[in-house]
Amino acid sequence: MLAGNGSLVTEFVLAGLTDLPELQLPLFYLFLMIYIVTVVGNFGLVTLISLNPHLHTPMYYFLFNLSFIDLCYSSVFSPKMLMNFVSEKNTISYVGCMTQLFFFLFFVISECYMLTSMAYDRYLAICNPLLYNVTMSPQVCSMLSFASYGMAFVGASAHTGCMLRLTFCNANVINHYLCDILPLLQLSCTSTYVNDVVVLIVVGINITVPSFTILISYVFILTNILNIKSTQGRSKAFSTCSSHVMAISLFFGSGAFMYLNRSESMEQGKVSSVFYTNVVPMLNPLIYSLRNKDVKIALKKIVVKVHSRFIP
C-alpha cells in the first residue's frame, strides 16, 4: 500500500457513503437501481435522438450532449461506489484515483456549460423566434458544445494538475465514495493553499458564470412569456422551460452547496453530493422525456416500428 520509503501513498481506500453495516445492502440495491435507471434513461435518449430525424434540432442536439455527459459521468464513479457497499475494503490506485478525479470533474463542468447552452437556446427560441434558425445554426451549436467541453478540459486539468503536486503520506482513507477534490485535500501532508485558491477560482467561475448567464436568459424569457397574450402560448412556453429549470436548480444548487460552503462537514458534503452525482443524471432523462411531447411521439414511433418488425 505504501511506497518503498514507507511514506508515500500508492493507493487509497474509499470510505464510502456510510460505515453502518445494516445500511450497506439496502443502499447497494438503491444505488444499483439508480445507476440502471440512469444508464437506460440516458442511453435511450441518446439513441432516440440519433435515430429520429425530427429530433435533429438545436434543442435536442444539446439534450443529446447532456444525456451523453450524464451517461459517462455516472459511469466514472458508480461501479466503485457500488463495490464499496459489498466489499470490506474498496481500494483504488493513486493513478486510478487521479484519473477518476479528472474525468469526474471534466463531465461535471461539461454539464454546467451544456445546461447554460440549453438556456441560451431556449432564450433565442422564445425571445427571437424569427431569427432562431439562423442564429442557432449547426455551426453555432457545435461551437457551443465544443466550448463546453473545452472549459471542462481546462477546469479538470487545473484541479488535477494541482492535486498531482501534493504529497500524500500515511493517511490514505478518502472520506467519500469517489476521488473528489475536498476529501483528497484533507489527506495531503503538504500545503494545500494553491489548491484552495484554485478551487475558489475555478469552481467559482464554473458555477457563477453559468448561473448568472442562465439567470439573465430566464429573466428575458419570463418577461417575454408574460407579454404573450394567448393563455395557450404562455402555457406552452412555460412547459418548454420548466423541465430545464428543474434540472438546473437540482444540479447547481447541490454543487454550490458542496464546493462553496466550506464550513459544512464532510459527512454533510457526501450527502449533498449524492444529488448532483446520482440523482440529477437519473432525473434528467425522466424530466425531459416525460414532460416533452416530441420525445413521447418519437418513442411511440420507435416502439411501433420495432413491434411491427419483430411481431407480425
Side-chain angles (χ1 to χ4, degrees):
M1 189 185 303
L2 301 176
N5 61 6
S7 63
L8 300 181
V9 171
T10 58
E11 71 175 20
F12 294 100
V13 177
L14 294 166
L17 191 60
T18 179
D19 56 359
L20 297 174
E22 65 272 18
L23 291 179
Q24 299 300 323
L25 207 54
L27 285 174
F28 170 77
Y29 288 119
L30 173 64
F31 284 99
L32 177 62
M33 188 58 64
I34 288 174
Y35 183 54
I36 291 170
V37 172
T38 301
V39 170
V40 172
N42 285 292
F43 183 75
L45 210 48
V46 164
T47 306
L48 190 66
I49 293 170
S50 301
L51 295 177
N52 199 302
H54 297 293
L55 299 181
H56 292 176
T57 63
M59 176 181 169
Y60 294 104
Y61 170 80
F62 292 121
L63 184 54
F64 172 92
N65 277 278
L66 184 70
S67 293
F68 171 74
I69 289 167
D70 281 337
L71 182 61
C72 297
Y73 162 42
S74 58
S75 297
V76 167
F77 60 87
S78 289
K80 269 286 180 189
M81 184 183 186
L82 291 169
M83 278 178 61
N84 207 295
F85 293 122
V86 293
S87 61
E88 286 185 18
K89 200 176 187 182
N90 190 13
T91 60
I92 184 169
S93 69
Y94 176 85
V95 173
C97 187
M98 294 302 134
T99 304
Q100 186 189 66
L101 175 69
F102 176 83
F103 283 106
F104 171 68
L105 293 171
F106 176 79
F107 289 118
V108 168
I109 299 171
S110 297
E111 181 141 347
C112 288
Y113 288 99
M114 202 57 67
L115 288 168
T116 308
S117 300
M118 292 172 78
Y120 178 65
D121 172 70
R122 291 302 83 209
Y123 159 73
L124 289 174
I126 292 170
C127 299
N128 294 292
L130 297 177
L131 296 173
Y132 177 71
N133 289 330
V134 176
T135 311
M136 291 303 290
S137 63
Q139 292 79 11
V140 171
C141 291
S142 298
M143 185 186 72
L144 287 171
S145 63
F146 280 123
S148 300
Y149 293 123
M151 288 296 289
F153 181 79
V154 171
S157 298
H159 285 303
T160 310
C162 286
M163 197 64 70
L164 288 169
R165 59 178 284 280
L166 297 180
T167 302
F168 298 94
C169 303
N170 293 317
N172 72 332
V173 179
I174 299 172
N175 188 18
H176 212 305
Y177 51 83
L178 57 86
C179 291
D180 202 357
I181 301 168
L182 303 185
L184 277 168
L185 291 182
Q186 291 180 343
L187 299 181
S188 174
C189 52
T190 50
S191 173
T192 61
Y193 176 76
V194 174
N195 298 70
D196 290 331
V197 172
V198 169
V199 168
L200 285 174
I201 293 172
V202 177
V203 174
I205 289 171
N206 291 326
I207 288 180
T208 55
V209 171
S211 299
F212 185 72
T213 306
I214 291 165
L215 180 64
I216 295 297
S217 298
Y218 273 99
V219 166
F220 283 114
I221 289 169
L222 186 61
T223 305
N224 193 275
I225 288 173
L226 294 174
N227 288 330
I228 297 173
K229 293 178 181 178
S230 160
T231 306
Q232 188 178 356
R234 279 201 303 269
S235 176
K236 187 179 177 183
F238 271 122
S239 178
T240 304
C241 298
S242 59
S243 301
H244 190 227
V245 171
M246 286 169 64
I248 287 167
S249 302
L250 275 170
F251 184 77
F252 281 99
S254 55
F257 188 76
M258 171 69 183
Y259 289 101
L260 299 181
N261 182 17
R262 299 297 293 276
S263 61
E264 68 171 357
S265 70
M266 204 61 242
E267 297 305 316
Q268 289 175 311
K270 282 196 285 187
V271 173
S272 65
S273 68
V274 165
F275 285 95
Y276 72 88
T277 58
N278 297 88
V279 177
V280 173
M282 177 188 70
L283 289 181
N284 277 347
L286 299 176
I287 289 170
Y288 286 107
S289 58
L290 295 178
R291 296 178 59 84
N292 193 298
K293 262 185 202 175
D294 294 334
V295 171
K296 286 179 186 176
I297 292 167
L299 183 60
K300 200 175 285 184
K301 284 180 180 177
I302 294 288
V303 170
V304 169
K305 193 180 287 186
V306 170
H307 187 270
S308 61
R309 179 173 294 182
F310 292 100
I311 302 173

